[in-house]
């Protein structure tokens, strides 16, 4: 069976929730001794602000192409059986899943490492944009992984000629560096 047959990538539009069982069932197989998952859900607070919902938009055809490419890269680095990636668009209320990554492999190390790689690469390079809606306002969010990738490529000026800086958190956190965006000086 070729790798394309065992890779499922979906962008879910509208108010449809991600069916986690569907994707877990897709990657399940007798030869898969490990299934690793990542479920990104809308949390209720961010930096002391009350989050009401997230809103996602995407360049869908490019997002699907990029996701398939990332899945191919994962297959070339780890011994994987199946991969499934689903990302939701539109409004995602608190507590609901916006992104789900599932990987099956013979051994857990391959499944876990590939799962982390897939979500990190998705955040860094796939054209999906997130707006956080708070009880007192809203803001479009740039993923720290995306900004770090731009810095790695030597591009310290973002779109609209803004200078991008990252600063490390002063406490242990899963959220990577904080990102500061300033107007660039010509």
């Amino acid at each position: 069976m070729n790798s394309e047959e065992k890779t499922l990538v979906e962008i879910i539009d509208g108010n449809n929730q991600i069916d986690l069982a569907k994707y877990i069932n897709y990657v399940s197989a007798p030869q898969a001794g490990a299934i690793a998952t990542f479920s990104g859900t809308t949390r209720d607070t961010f930096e002391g602000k009350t989050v009401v919902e997230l809103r996602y938009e995407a360049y869908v055809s490019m997002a699907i192409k990029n996701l398939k490419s990332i899945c191919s890269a994962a297959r070339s680095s780890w011994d994987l059986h199946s991969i499934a990636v689903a990302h939701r668009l539109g409004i995602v209320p608190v507590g609901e899943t916006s992104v789900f990554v599932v990987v099956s492999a013979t051994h857990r190390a391959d499944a876990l490492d590939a799962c982390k790689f897939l979500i990190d690469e998705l955040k860094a390079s796939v054209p999906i944009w997130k707006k956080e809606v708070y009880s007192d306002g809203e803001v479009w969010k740039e993923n720290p992984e995306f900004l770090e990738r731009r810095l790695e490529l030597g591009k310290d000026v973002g779109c609209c000629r803004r200078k991008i800086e990252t600063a490390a958190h002063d406490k242990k956190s899963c959220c990577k560096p904080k990102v500061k965006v300033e107007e660039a000086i010509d």
Side-chain angles (χ1 to χ4, degrees):
M1 188 174 301
N2 73 36
S3 62
E4 187 65 30
E5 291 175 339
K6 292 309 299 172
T7 299
L8 176 62
V9 171
E10 293 185 329
I11 303 293
I12 300 168
D13 202 9
N15 294 322
N16 297 318
Q17 292 189 25
I18 295 175
D19 180 355
L20 306 183
K22 168 186 171 180
Y23 300 100
I24 292 171
N25 289 335
Y26 178 83
V27 303
S28 296
Q31 64 272 36
I35 296 175
T37 66
F38 173 82
S39 179
T41 59
T42 303
R43 59 180 173 249
D44 64 356
T45 57
F46 181 74
E47 294 185 349
K49 298 177 189 172
T50 300
V51 175
V52 176
E53 65 192 18
L54 299 179
R55 296 181 189 161
Y56 289 93
E57 294 182 12
Y59 180 174
V60 175
S61 61
M62 185 178 282
I64 290 171
K65 181 180 176 182
N66 286 10
L67 285 168
K68 287 180 178 180
S69 176
I70 293 166
C71 290
S72 255
R75 286 190 178 285
S76 69
S77 297
W78 294 278
D79 184 16
L80 306 178
H81 181 271
S82 303
I83 302 170
V85 179
H87 203 300
R88 193 167 159 187
L89 299 181
I91 295 171
V92 182
V94 170
E96 292 187 13
T97 301
S98 55
V99 60
F100 193 56
V101 178
V102 190
V103 180
S104 66
T106 303
H107 302 288
R108 73 176 176 266
D110 285 337
L112 290 167
D113 291 346
C115 189
K116 182 180 183 327
F117 168 82
L118 287 162
I119 190 61
D120 288 348
E121 287 300 306
L122 182 157
K123 295 273 204 173
S125 64
V126 177
I128 297 175
W129 304 281
K130 174 175 74 173
K131 180 187 280 188
E132 283 190 357
V133 179
Y134 307 111
S135 58
D136 63 349
E138 58 189 35
V139 64
W140 284 102
K141 302 293 285 198
E142 290 183 296
N143 289 322
E145 296 89 349
F146 172 77
L147 297 173
E148 289 171 3
R149 179 68 49 84
R150 289 184 60 82
L151 292 172
E152 288 170 9
L153 296 173
K155 299 177 182 176
D156 65 348
V157 177
C159 67
C160 308
R161 309 231 4 107
R162 295 178 293 170
K163 184 174 181 183
I164 301 167
E165 297 178 19
T166 58
H169 281 288
D170 54 352
K171 62 180 181 179
K172 290 186 178 179
S173 172
C174 65
C175 299
K176 302 259 185 171
K178 289 187 179 183
V179 176
K180 181 179 181 181
V181 179
E182 298 176 349
E183 293 301 316
I185 300 171
D186 290 327

